[in-house]
Amino acid sequence: MKYKLIPLAFLLLRFYGCSQHLFTDYRSLDQTGMWSSSVEELKKLNTSDTEVGQLTRMKQAGVSDDACVQVIADAHNHQHPFASADSAVNLMRAGYNESIILEMTKADQLDNLSGDAVMLRLVGLSDHAVDVILHKRMKGQRTMSSAEIGRLKNTGLSEAQIMERINRGLTDAQADKEAAGREAARNHANTGFTRVRGRRPR
């Protein structure tokens, strides 16, 4: 009798452990044009209905099949479901390509970094500068926040000057102090006046 319990236990473990999303509905992904081979890859990754909904939004924003499969794989490798479609879509709309999204999901930093990444685009930094800053953050290296970078830029600092400060590890507190000083100097300069001298009437 014991020899029958072993395969039964194996089947139960397989059903409840590895195949708990046997009935996931992939039709919304079919409707976005996802290839059947990609859907099969998602099935192997045990994708849930909720995750299918996330991927459907990404597909509608132009994310490729391969990237959709990879974000699910990365999330599962980090022991959690994928729930970051909004972050990915916002990055795509801000002009980022899929490679940076996949770097963030691989590092499990998509939600943490996407908001600042969008702000860096709005600040108007070059692609190279943005790339350097984001890779520093993905490695856990300290950089100024996007808000402080934008503030310093508005005081007249060039991109090269901002990057020099980032590379030497300027903190937000230090950036705030410098920006405040530059803003005060600018405001003082704008309030100057020239005294007009003239002859007094007799």
Side-chain angles (χ1 to χ4, degrees):
M1 189 68 182
K2 287 184 179 180
Y3 72 92
K4 292 184 179 180
L5 294 177
I6 295 175
L8 178 61
F10 174 78
L11 289 173
L12 288 173
L13 179 63
R14 181 175 176 81
F15 184 82
Y16 289 106
C18 300
S19 304
Q20 62 265 44
H21 298 302
L22 284 175
F23 304 109
T24 297
D25 187 352
Y26 294 92
R27 285 177 296 180
S28 63
L29 288 175
D30 290 333
Q31 292 166 2
T32 65
M34 178 174 279
W35 290 97
S36 58
S37 57
S38 298
V39 172
E40 289 303 315
E41 289 297 317
L42 291 173
K43 289 179 180 178
K44 293 176 184 177
L45 291 170
N46 200 23
T47 306
S48 68
D49 281 319
T50 302
E51 289 175 319
V52 167
Q54 295 278 309
L55 296 182
T56 299
R57 286 153 62 191
M58 289 174 60
K59 281 290 294 176
Q60 291 169 342
V63 178
S64 70
D65 286 9
D66 288 344
C68 285
V69 172
Q70 190 59 51
V71 298
I72 295 295
D74 288 339
H76 291 188
N77 285 338
H78 290 290
Q79 307 300 313
H80 62 77
F82 178 74
S84 304
D86 286 343
S87 297
V89 170
N90 288 339
L91 287 171
M92 291 289 287
R93 289 175 177 169
Y96 288 97
N97 57 38
E98 292 177 354
S99 63
I100 194 68
I101 294 172
L102 295 180
E103 286 187 63
M104 289 182 183
T105 58
K106 185 176 181 180
D108 206 19
Q109 293 288 315
L110 181 54
D111 285 337
N112 292 337
L113 296 178
S114 61
D116 252 10
V118 171
M119 283 190 66
L120 287 173
R121 285 287 193 198
L122 296 176
V123 166
L125 297 180
S126 68
D127 288 348
H128 174 71
V130 170
D131 189 62
V132 169
I133 294 168
L134 289 179
H135 279 91
K136 280 180 175 290
R137 291 178 182 174
M138 278 188 270
K139 293 176 182 177
Q141 297 175 7
R142 183 176 63 191
T143 72
M144 289 183 286
S145 67
S146 299
E148 290 298 338
I149 291 171
R151 190 177 171 196
L152 285 174
K153 193 170 187 294
N154 287 337
T155 66
L157 285 185
S158 67
E159 180 176 297
Q161 290 172 318
I162 290 172
M163 293 306 297
E164 184 274 327
R165 285 158 173 76
I166 289 172
N167 288 330
R168 62 180 165 88
L170 195 74
T171 66
D172 271 0
Q174 292 169 326
D176 178 73
K177 184 177 180 180
E178 180 176 357
R182 292 178 63 85
E183 288 164 352
R186 181 184 60 191
N187 293 337
H188 178 73
N190 291 338
T191 58
F193 64 92
T194 302
R195 184 174 181 179
V196 178
R197 295 180 179 273
R199 296 178 64 182
R200 292 183 180 179
R202 293 182 178 180

